[in-house]
Amino acid sequence: FNPMIAAAGRVTIAEVENLYEAGELDPNSIHTPSIYVQSLIEGNQEKRIERLTVRS
């Protein structure tokens, strides 16, 4: 779904948790090609929708 929406928009801003050099990631793990992304934001804030759960 992400590549279709990125292609349809005029500007795409991607929020990333980590920045990597070109070639460090497996191409199959990339959802939106860089050709569609005009800007990056490195997200360092806590994500409220994600909750850490551990067994006791």
Side-chain angles (χ1 to χ4, degrees), residues 31-45:
H31 299 279
T32 304
S34 64
I35 191 75
Y36 297 127
V37 179
Q38 285 78 31
S39 184
L40 292 174
I41 296 175
E42 189 172 6
N44 295 328
Q45 71 277 6

Side-chain angles (χ1 to χ4, degrees), residues 6-53:
R10 288 188 178 160
V11 175
T12 301
I13 301 171
E15 180 183 7
V16 299
E17 293 179 5
N18 300 310
L19 293 174
Y20 296 96
E21 294 293 325
E24 284 189 83
L25 295 175
D26 177 24
N28 293 325
S29 68
I30 298 173
H31 299 279
T32 304
S34 64
I35 191 75
Y36 297 127
V37 179
Q38 285 78 31
S39 184
L40 292 174
I41 296 175
E42 189 172 6
N44 295 328
Q45 71 277 6
E46 177 186 352
K47 301 206 185 311
R48 293 185 188 185
I49 60 171
E50 298 176 2
R51 296 190 179 151
L52 177 64
T53 56

